[in-house]
Amino acid sequence: MSLTELCMASTQAIAAVSRALLGLIEQHCPRDLLFSPKFELYTTAQLDKPIAEGVSLCLYRVALNGLGRNLPPRRADDGSLCRPSLPVDLHFLITPWAADGERQQRLLGWLLRFLEDVSVLSAGVLNSYMPEPGIFADDEVAEIVLDSLPLADYLGLWDKFKPQWQTSLTYVVRMVELDSRLTVDEAERVQTRDFGFGIR
């Protein structure tokens, strides 16, 4: 195997999914729901620093997809054979913030309906929120699925942030494939077979 730039590098795919999700929410959020909303990507360390109103999106878990490492090697556009992509599932905590309960619930209802309506994101959408071009290939998509956690797991997410506990939504984006830059040496195809039999 040798390092090469021939295989598409999509290690930016995780950030691209996050940016696309947040960008779509910001772009389509009805402005009559909030007065001066902010839309921010959060780390888990920021959950105890709420914004006044708006939506935060926090990637709290990344897991290997059920396919694991069973994907075959990937063929690049130039024909080179690359190591298999790494399929991961991205788990997000999406939190609506508002000054009062009714506006928060209105925003919550809108988020549920909106994310269900845009449940499959095309490569064109995913690529449009990042400065790097072509992070996702034209035939790639990202599926957004509401992932309701058991109550104990949900409360566990907020255990360290009890003073700021907020009603939130948990979603998973499945099968985000991280492509490898390593090529695989291909042996030449067998042209003839010699079984070693015969009279010497």
Side-chain angles (χ1 to χ4, degrees), residues 10-11 18 23 26 30 63 68 73-74 76 79 91-92 112 131 140 166 175:
S10 67
T11 52
S18 298
E26 180 175 5
R74 185 179 61 84
H91 296 258
F92 290 99
L112 283 164
E140 288 185 288
Q166 297 287 319
M175 276 295 292

Side-chain angles (χ1 to χ4, degrees), residues 23-74:
L24 286 169
I25 290 170
E26 180 175 5
Q27 183 179 350
H28 294 279
C29 182
R31 289 306 186 257
D32 60 340
L33 291 178
L34 301 167
F35 299 123
S36 55
K38 292 183 178 180
F39 301 86
E40 297 186 5
L41 286 181
Y42 268 24
T43 65
T44 53
Q46 293 174 287
L47 288 173
D48 61 347
K49 301 171 185 176
I51 53 182
E53 58 178 18
V55 177
S56 64
L57 186 145
C58 176
L59 177 65
Y60 70 90
R61 181 173 181 244
V62 178
L64 187 66
N65 184 272
L67 289 178
R69 298 184 180 274
N70 295 327
L71 292 179
R74 185 179 61 84

Side-chain angles (χ1 to χ4, degrees), residues 1 13 38 47 82-83 93 115 117 177:
M1 291 182 221
K38 292 183 178 180
L47 288 173
C82 296
R83 292 191 65 184
L93 185 71
L115 292 173
D117 289 341
E177 296 184 20

Side-chain angles (χ1 to χ4, degrees), residues 61-194:
R61 181 173 181 244
V62 178
L64 187 66
N65 184 272
L67 289 178
R69 298 184 180 274
N70 295 327
L71 292 179
R74 185 179 61 84
R75 186 71 65 179
D77 292 339
D78 70 339
S80 300
L81 194 65
C82 296
R83 292 191 65 184
S85 300
L86 178 67
V88 295
D89 293 339
L90 309 178
H91 296 258
F92 290 99
L93 185 71
I94 302 176
T95 306
W97 303 88
D100 62 76
E102 181 179 339
R103 284 198 296 134
Q104 184 189 47
Q105 291 172 26
R106 286 175 181 267
L107 181 56
L108 185 71
W110 177 82
L111 281 167
L112 283 164
R113 184 66 262 174
F114 176 73
L115 292 173
E116 182 66 21
D117 289 341
V118 296
S119 57
V120 178
L121 303 180
S122 67
V125 171
L126 292 165
N127 288 332
S128 63
Y129 291 89
M130 292 286 281
E132 299 90 348
I135 293 173
F136 286 86
D138 291 341
D139 60 347
E140 288 185 288
V141 297
E143 180 187 13
I144 311 164
V145 180
L146 182 62
D147 184 35
S148 299
L149 298 177
L151 181 59
D153 293 344
Y154 176 74
L155 294 177
L157 282 176
W158 285 100
D159 185 55
K160 295 181 180 179
F161 314 107
K162 289 176 181 176
Q164 304 297 343
W165 181 23
Q166 297 287 319
T167 301
S168 301
L169 305 171
T170 49
Y171 279 84
V172 59
V173 178
R174 294 177 177 161
M175 276 295 292
V176 176
E177 296 184 20
L178 306 180
D179 297 335
S180 176
R181 293 187 180 191
L182 291 175
T183 56
V184 178
D185 292 332
E186 296 185 77
E188 294 185 7
R189 292 185 178 180
V190 175
Q191 302 294 325
T192 59
R193 291 193 234 179
D194 183 358

